Amino acid sequence: MPTESKVDVLVLGAGPAGLMCAQGLKRAGVNVRIIDKRPKKVAAGQADGVQPRTIEVLQSYGLAERLLREGNQMHMVAFYNPSPNGGIERTGRTADITAPSARYPFEVTLHQGAIEAIFLDSMRELGLEVDRPIIPTALELSHDENELRDPQSYPVKVTLKHLDFGSEGQDDTEIVYAKFVVGADGAHSWVRKTLGIIMDGEQTDYIWGVVDLIPSTNFPDIRNRCAIHSSNGSCMIIPREGDKVRLYIQLSDKDVVVDKATGRVDKEKTKVGPEELLEVARKSFSPFTIEKAGEIDWWTIYLSQGMNASMNDTHNLIWKMTYVLRGWADISLLRTYEFERRKYAQDLIAFDKKFSALFSGKPRTEECQDGVSHEAFLEAFQTFGAFSCGIGIHYSPSSIPSMPNITELKHQSLTSHQTVGMRILPHVFVRAADARPFEIQDLLPANTKWKLVVFVGDIGPGKIKQIERVAKLADDLGKSTGLLKRYEDGVFEILTICATVKECLNYTDLPEVLRPHWSRVLLDDVDMFGRTGGKGYDIYGVDPSQGAIIVVRPDGYVGTVTPLEGVKDLETYFDTFLIRTL
């Protein structure tokens, strides 16, 4: 008989998205299991570019330091276009990341196997391993509405096949009953196909050849990201860890054969291989030369990508699923996942199509005046920079009756530079207790807690009115039936930021409820040497004479803003999706 087991969450697929999901749930104390059909992690190649917002997200889990240490940083992009004398010439250089508020104003490139290893090692420390090699063969969902609405039931039955069970008499089948199943099995998802979910526009129409190699070249920008438009075709250079680079070479439909049934490139019928791809690159590089120094590390042909988007998908899902499983939030909270992330996915595909069309179009030359100009390409690159790097993601309020509204704009004017629905802006503040500077994002980790970031204004000597307002806020928050008591213990953390300089304030001057720990009071002031910090109220657009409460979701996005007198508004906001205990 097949073995049977139960689990809160079963994650199918141990690529970056599945690993992000599994490690986040495990950190939150969820009973999670993750399986993958591969006998081991990716060794080389695959997805490799980590965008600025994704680095911020990894940092919120304590995982960015290793990525930054092992990966290559891409700070500058160079543009090459046809030269009047033949071949190509550089027509400009600019910053690779154009989002002014990016904490990490660069991309990190590191092969997918190394990215997966960061997650795998982190999971191992938490006592979680990927079960391999295993594939799902059947998925059954209960038809009982009551069971489906009960987050403590096990309405999903998944049949698994262990691929390494080969001895006679050994049953290779396992039945798993799960409260939730997360399909993180890639662009050609078995889960989607099994459930009959159609993804309109799930991939772009452009086909890319990819080659990873250590180059021997006289090309001066080989260590920068480069967009090369030549009369012989287009090419993108991505510098990688060590001496490696990745070449993206755009191919036409006639170069490849796509299996209509699977949507994958049929490599057996496609005559293009790594040497052919390198030959296309050589022509595009002229008059510069490029050869391989040793063997080609990895190559492929693909139609779509989305590692950064998918990791941020599961980051969005982790805390919501955790709250439902803990009984802290109604199951309707999960509806906000698709509402928030689907729009971004659709916008990303639309952007990718537009950008790819510009990149693949013929460059403007004397002979081709209708071609893509450098100015048009650069404008598109800069216009969509914040969006493509993830910094510009903006979650809108919901007006759907069956869905809780976790984005509330009522008091947006109190934080004119911090948009509700976008991630909390990075900035350095000084800790009141010891004048040590801290990046605020590092004090708002992805620990499933909501953070009440209280900008109390200037409460220094003589600021009697503001001191009284802050005392009233503390009384309202600290009531036995107030906001901090009406839900499960552990939902909230408070971080207080004063507009008072360090010489004029002790952290003990704050009411106890606003200083739950000595480390949770910050000052909008420079450090002891004047090198960093200060002007934080300006960064967020908060009036120091008024103050504000910025509510930061567990995934780092701002859910709402209220005035210091707005505790009732906070209670109304949280009552729409959190389950009260009082």
Side-chain angles (χ1 to χ4, degrees):
M1 292 291 291
T3 59
E4 295 188 356
S5 62
K6 288 185 175 182
V7 69
D8 286 353
V9 181
L10 176 64
V11 180
L12 304 180
L19 293 172
M20 168 73 85
C21 185
Q23 67 85 29
L25 290 172
K26 184 65 176 179
R27 287 176 189 274
V30 172
N31 179 15
V32 59
R33 183 180 178 189
I34 180 170
I35 68 165
D36 196 82
K37 64 181 179 182
R38 299 170 298 172
K40 56 184 178 181
K41 69 177 178 65
V42 169
Q46 304 291 340
D48 68 344
V50 183
Q51 296 281 4
R53 175 55 190 160
T54 309
I55 303 173
E56 291 180 356
V57 170
L58 291 172
Q59 175 64 11
S60 72
Y61 292 103
L63 302 177
E65 181 181 346
R66 179 171 165 183
L67 175 77
L68 296 173
R69 184 174 68 248
E70 295 182 6
N72 173 71
Q73 295 182 12
M74 251 180 349
H75 289 260
M76 187 163 65
V77 59
F79 302 93
Y80 282 76
N81 285 282
S83 168
N85 303 318
I88 57 173
E89 64 179 5
R90 188 172 64 219
T91 51
R93 282 173 169 168
T94 190
D96 182 51
I97 299 302
T98 58
S101 71
R103 177 182 178 184
Y104 304 97
F106 49 82
E107 291 180 67
V108 171
T109 52
L110 184 65
H111 75 84
Q112 183 173 318
I115 295 170
E116 290 181 8
I118 294 173
F119 288 117
L120 291 169
D121 291 346
S122 170
M123 287 164 46
R124 191 168 294 117
E125 292 177 358
L126 299 169
L128 180 63
E129 298 275 359
V130 177
D131 289 339
R132 317 170 181 266
I134 300 174
I135 59 171
T137 59
L139 188 154
E140 300 173 42
L141 194 61
S142 171
H143 296 291
D144 185 329
E145 284 295 323
N146 291 327
E147 192 175 13
L148 290 172
R149 294 177 185 276
D150 180 5
Q152 301 310 316
S153 68
Y154 295 85
V156 192
K157 176 184 176 182
V158 184
T159 304
L160 304 178
K161 180 180 177 65
H162 291 253
L163 301 181
D164 58 351
F165 284 12
S167 60
E168 188 175 342
Q170 191 174 20
D171 195 330
D172 62 0
T173 302
E174 179 187 359
I175 305 296
V176 178
Y177 296 94
K179 296 177 180 177
F180 295 99
V181 171
V182 176
D185 49 344
H188 307 281
S189 169
W190 176 89
V191 174
R192 277 211 313 267
K193 291 176 181 177
T194 301
L195 296 176
I197 300 171
I198 298 173
M199 295 289 283
D200 294 327
E202 64 179 288
Q203 63 189 26
T204 65
D205 299 324
Y206 299 96
I207 303 170
W208 298 88
V210 187
V211 179
D212 289 349
L213 74 161
I214 295 177
S216 174
T217 182
N218 62 352
F219 187 71
D221 283 297
I222 197 65
R223 295 308 302 175
N224 292 315
R225 179 181 176 187
C226 292
I228 299 175
H229 279 106
S230 82
S231 300
N232 296 307
S234 298
C235 179
M236 182 77 77
I237 301 173
I238 303 293
R240 291 273 305 279
E241 67 273 18
D243 294 331
K244 292 178 187 175
V245 300
R246 170 167 288 186
L247 303 180
Y248 286 92
I249 300 112
Q250 196 154 41
L251 303 173
S252 64
D253 293 342
K254 65 182 181 181
D255 295 321
V256 297
V257 177
V258 178
D259 187 321
K260 293 183 179 179
T262 65
R264 296 175 184 269
V265 173
D266 188 330
K267 287 190 176 182
E268 292 186 4
K269 296 180 180 179
T270 296
K271 303 304 180 184
V272 176
E275 293 299 335
E276 288 77 13
L277 292 173
L278 189 54
E279 181 57 32
V280 174
R282 290 190 188 102
K283 293 178 181 178
S284 299
F285 270 68
S286 177
F288 305 101
T289 62
I290 183 167
E291 300 293 339
K292 58 181 180 179
E295 296 299 314
I296 287 176
D297 186 57
W298 182 81
W299 77 278
T300 193
I301 298 171
Y302 73 93
L303 290 88
S304 62
Q305 61 179 335
M307 178 181 70
N308 286 273
S310 62
M311 284 197 287
N312 282 280
D313 286 344
T314 48
H315 175 60
N316 181 284
L317 185 61
I318 288 165
W319 72 269
K320 296 173 181 178
M321 192 172 286
T322 298
Y323 270 54
V324 171
L325 287 167
R326 287 176 178 171
W328 289 9
D330 184 79
I331 198 168
S332 61
L333 177 64
L334 296 179
R335 292 178 178 270
T336 65
Y337 164 72
E338 182 175 8
F339 175 77
E340 292 182 334
R341 295 302 299 173
R342 184 179 177 86
K343 182 182 184 302
Y344 175 70
Q346 291 171 330
D347 290 346
L348 183 64
I349 290 169
F351 158 72
D352 192 44
K353 284 189 174 184
K354 181 175 181 178
F355 192 76
S356 294
L358 281 173
F359 187 62
S360 63
K362 288 186 177 296
R364 179 176 296 178
T365 61
E366 289 293 330
E367 297 76 22
C368 182
Q369 288 297 309
D370 294 333
V372 179
S373 69
H374 169 64
E375 291 74 20
F377 186 80
L378 180 61
E379 181 182 5
F381 179 85
Q382 294 177 330
T383 299
F384 294 103
F387 175 80
S388 61
C389 72
I391 298 299
I393 294 174
H394 185 185
Y395 297 143
S396 302
S398 166
S399 58
I400 302 172
S402 62
M403 184 190 305
N405 193 359
I406 57 175
T407 303
E408 172 57 60
L409 304 179
K410 182 178 179 181
H411 298 291
Q412 172 66 87
S413 61
L414 293 175
T415 58
S416 58
H417 298 156
Q418 172 63 72
T419 303
V420 173
M422 298 185 74
R423 105 297 190 207
I424 186 75
L425 292 168
H427 190 69
V428 173
F429 292 93
V430 172
R431 193 161 61 188
D434 57 4
R436 179 178 171 180
F438 276 91
E439 165 58 57
I440 190 173
Q441 289 187 348
D442 291 342
L443 301 177
L444 308 173
N447 59 2
T448 74
K449 296 186 178 184
W450 288 78
K451 284 79 175 181
L452 306 181
V453 183
V454 186
F455 286 77
V456 295
D458 187 356
I459 55 171
K463 305 293 182 178
I464 304 301
K465 183 178 179 181
Q466 194 67 10
I467 292 172
E468 290 175 347
R469 293 180 67 216
V470 171
K472 177 65 165 56
L473 167 64
D475 289 341
D476 291 343
L477 287 173
K479 289 178 181 178
S480 59
T481 57
L483 178 72
L484 302 183
K485 304 290 185 180
R486 66 199 289 150
Y487 310 107
E488 289 286 350
D489 185 41
V491 170
F492 300 113
E493 285 185 346
I494 290 179
L495 185 67
T496 301
I497 302 178
C498 307
T500 312
V501 295
K502 51 186 170 293
E503 292 82 4
C504 299
L505 186 80
N506 299 314
Y507 81 91
T508 51
D509 295 341
L510 274 297
E512 286 190 15
V513 72
L514 296 177
R515 53 175 175 91
H517 188 264
W518 62 267
S519 64
R520 305 298 292 175
V521 180
L522 304 179
L523 304 176
D524 184 17
D525 197 5
V526 295
D527 70 352
M528 297 303 294
F529 298 95
R531 296 171 179 169
T532 188
K535 299 184 178 180
Y537 274 65
D538 292 340
I539 291 293
Y540 297 92
V542 177
D543 183 345
S545 68
Q546 296 299 315
I549 302 172
I550 297 180
V551 177
V552 183
R553 300 173 5 170
D555 58 2
Y557 287 80
V558 175
T560 190
V561 172
T562 71
L564 300 187
E565 292 78 13
V567 173
K568 287 293 184 183
D569 287 337
L570 290 177
E571 292 171 353
T572 300
Y573 170 75
F574 284 108
D575 278 349
T576 62
F577 55 90
L578 292 185
I579 296 174
R580 293 180 58 171
T581 57
L582 288 179

